Amino acid sequence: MDTTPVRAAGPDLAAVARLLADGTRAGFCLALLDGRAWTATELARHMGVAASTTTEHLNALVRGGLLGEERQGRHRYVRLAGPHVADLVEGLAALAPPRQEPPRSLSAAGRRDALAHARTCYDHLAGTVGVAITDAMVGRGLLDLAHGLALTAAGRDWLAELGVTVPAGTRRPSVRSCLDWTERRPHLAGAVGAALCRHALDEGWVSRVGSTRAVIITDVGREALRARLGLPERLLVRASR
C-alpha cells in the first residue's frame, strides 16, 4: 500500500499562504491590484516600511510567482503576475474580516468610501458600481447565470453596439465572476470585464482618483450607465463626507 503522505503529492498551497500571511507582503499585493507597475520605493512609501525590508519582501513574492518584474535602466518595476493573481488577492480580501480600527482622519475615511463605491480591480470595475453593472447585465439578459456566468448573444450584440472590442485568441476566460471584497458579491471579470473597464476609461465614463484604485463616475458616465443599463442616479454618485 502506498503510504506516501498526501501533502507530498499535491501542490504546496501552504507556500502561497505563507507569502500572503505577512501583512506587508499582503499590503503590496493589494496596492498592485490597480494593475500598474510600481517601483520598490513607491511600495515602501505606501506601506511605510524600509527600503531593505521592501526589497526582501518583493524578492519573495517574485520567487513565489505572485509578482512579475521588469527593469528599465536602473529602475525595477513590479506588478501582479497576471489576472489570476489579482483574482486570488481580491477573493481573499473578500473573505478577510474587516479591520476594526476606525479611519484616523476624514481623508482616510473618504479614501475608504471612494474605494468601496467604485474602483478598479486589476483591470475591471469593482465596488458598488461594479457589482451594480454586473447585476444590471444579468437582469437585462446580457449575462447568464444558468450554468455559471456566461455572455449571451444579446450581450455580444450589446458590446458590439457600444464599440467594445474583446481580444480574441487568449487563454483568459471571456467572462468570470470575481468576489468583491467590499460588497461581498460578484462583479464581472475576465476578458469582457477588462474590455468594458477599458471602454469606460477611454470614453470618459469614469475617471481615476489620483494614484489610487478609486474611480469616479463622470457626468458622461452617469448618462451612459443610466441609458445603457438603467442604473439609478443615486447609485452612481458617491456621497461626500
Side-chain angles (χ1 to χ4, degrees):
M1 181 175 66
D2 185 5
T3 58
T4 303
V6 174
R7 64 183 181 185
D12 189 359
L13 183 60
V16 178
R18 284 192 294 271
L19 284 173
L20 293 174
D22 179 90
T24 299
R25 289 196 292 268
F28 289 160
C29 290
L30 284 170
L32 290 166
L33 275 176
D34 67 357
R36 297 187 300 126
W38 290 49
T39 65
T41 300
E42 290 169 331
L43 287 169
R45 187 182 305 118
H46 175 77
M47 291 298 296
V49 295
S52 57
T53 301
T54 297
T55 298
E56 180 182 342
H57 285 312
L58 292 180
N59 288 343
L61 289 166
V62 170
R63 287 195 304 269
L66 295 184
L67 300 187
E69 63 179 346
E70 50 193 79
R71 294 184 181 273
Q72 293 184 7
R74 295 178 300 163
H75 299 289
R76 177 201 192 192
Y77 294 86
V78 294
R79 63 170 74 244
L80 295 182
H84 61 294
V85 178
D87 294 342
L88 169 67
V89 174
E90 182 83 0
L92 289 174
L95 295 173
R99 296 187 184 276
Q100 297 302 313
E101 67 270 17
R104 298 178 183 176
S105 65
L106 285 176
S107 61
R111 286 193 296 271
R112 180 196 62 189
D113 291 348
L115 283 171
H117 180 249
R119 66 181 181 276
T120 55
C121 172
Y122 192 60
D123 60 1
H124 51 272
L125 293 172
T128 301
V129 173
V131 170
I133 288 172
T134 305
D135 288 346
M137 291 181 70
V138 171
R140 292 183 171 226
L142 308 178
L143 294 172
D144 181 24
L145 289 173
H147 304 289
L149 196 64
L151 186 68
T152 66
R156 288 191 289 272
D157 291 342
W158 182 79
L159 290 172
E161 182 183 339
L162 280 179
V164 175
T165 302
V166 181
T170 67
R171 298 177 61 183
R172 188 176 189 183
S174 175
V175 295
R176 68 176 303 278
S177 63
C178 181
L179 186 60
D180 197 280
W181 67 268
T182 51
E183 294 292 302
R184 308 296 169 111
R185 298 181 54 235
H187 59 245
L188 176 65
V192 170
L196 190 56
C197 179
R198 173 46 52 194
H199 181 81
L201 287 164
D202 291 345
E203 294 298 313
W205 292 7
V206 300
S207 176
R208 296 188 185 276
V209 179
S211 61
T212 72
R213 289 198 290 139
V215 297
I216 58 172
I217 313 302
T218 65
D219 292 342
V220 173
R222 289 197 294 273
E223 178 60 32
L225 292 171
R226 283 198 305 266
R228 298 290 185 174
L229 291 173
L231 297 187
E233 176 77 13
R234 57 177 174 74
L235 184 144
L236 297 171
V237 179
R238 180 175 69 89
S240 59
R241 287 180 175 261

